[in-house]
Amino acid sequence: MSSSYWAVVPAAGVGKRMEADIPKQYLPLRGKTVIEHTLARLLQHPRIQAVVVAVSSEDRWWSGRLFQDNERIIRVAGGAERCHSVCNGLEALMSLAATKDWILVHDAARPCLRKEDIDRLIETLHDHPVGGLLALPISDTVKRADAGGTVLETVDRKGLWRAMTPQMFPLAKLYQSLREAIAAGVQVTDEASAMEWAGFSPRLIEGYSDNIKITHPQDLAQAEVFLKRQERGE
Ligand SMILES: Nc1ccn([C@@H]2O[C@H](COP(=O)(O)OP(=O)(O)OP(=O)(O)O)[C@@H](O)[C@H]2O)c(=O)n1
Ligand SMILES: C[C@](O)(CO)[C@H](O)COP(=O)(O)O
């Protein structure tokens, strides 16, 4: 029997680095909010059953959004860190999905995700023993610096990639790995690092470079440009 595909969207952050008055996932972007673009990209994909969104309990912006009454959107409480928010989403799916169903975890702050990238993840990983994630090989020279910005060393970039999302793993394995890594005090900044800690080797899949995470103020204008280009079919 073929597996189903579900999405978990961590959307409970405050966006400190964005230096905005509201959480960055609710900032305006080409006539909608950032999160509305992100959720639309996932909901429009025919293979994705439903999207579990982790929203902060202090969130004042979610209610009244376009998706509030969408039956393919399940809201759960966010957590103190991104990994806790994702864990809460996975916990909700444990009573809805099969243990081997594939979960695509995607940041609310990445609104430029293309259907082709979701297609590539599913086509490449649907029968993979572990799962994997979208990523970009690093093409710049990489420096390590001290807190004051003084270069300490140039890092060999051979084999180095930047992780993006979605990150796609089987529900039960991901949920268990994430909970155990968190319990062990591991710094878990993405789902793949929890799977790696559990001894699995995720597969990296090169994605589009416009799948940026809106993190700093200038990223919003960049996302505007990328969405405009995508609308023109570029
Ligand atoms: N406790 C948290 C923290 C972050 N996130 C989500 O995880 C994604 C990626 O995290 P990041 O870009 O770090 O968002 P913030 O934590 O909001 O940003 P900052 O670190 O600048 O505050 C975002 O969609 C964010 O909403 C979450 O669901 N729960
Ligand atoms: C998951 C992620 O987007 C992969 O690059 C990244 O780790 C999120 O990090 P953040 O510090 O929570 O933005």
Side-chain angles (χ1 to χ4, degrees), residues 10-17 24-25 79-82 85 107-109 213:
V14 296
K16 290 185 294 296
R17 291 169 286 178
K24 62 188 179 183
Q25 55 272 34
E81 294 172 38
R82 181 184 177 283
S85 298
D107 296 326
K213 182 164 65 72

Side-chain angles (χ1 to χ4, degrees), residues 80-139:
E81 294 172 38
R82 181 184 177 283
C83 57
H84 302 110
S85 298
V86 172
C87 238
N88 291 350
L90 296 173
E91 184 178 8
L93 282 174
M94 287 301 283
S95 54
L96 289 172
T99 54
K100 287 191 168 52
D101 278 357
W102 289 102
I103 310 302
L104 287 83
V105 182
H106 183 59
D107 296 326
R110 290 183 187 268
C112 304
L113 173 64
R114 293 171 183 248
K115 179 182 181 296
E116 301 95 305
D117 265 349
I118 300 173
D119 290 342
R120 191 174 317 112
L121 265 181
I122 291 176
E123 281 154 23
T124 313
L125 297 176
H126 72 277
D127 58 357
H128 191 271
V130 173
L133 60 147
L134 292 176
L136 276 174
I138 289 184
S139 54

Side-chain angles (χ1 to χ4, degrees), residues 181-195:
I182 291 169
V186 176
Q187 173 78 11
V188 177
T189 58
D190 71 344
E191 288 63 58
S193 46
M195 297 294 284

Side-chain angles (χ1 to χ4, degrees), residues 63-81:
S63 58
R65 305 245 59 88
L66 291 179
F67 297 108
Q68 198 188 16
D69 303 326
N70 184 316
E71 61 188 24
R72 287 175 62 221
I73 289 207
I74 301 153
R75 175 180 172 174
V76 298
E81 294 172 38

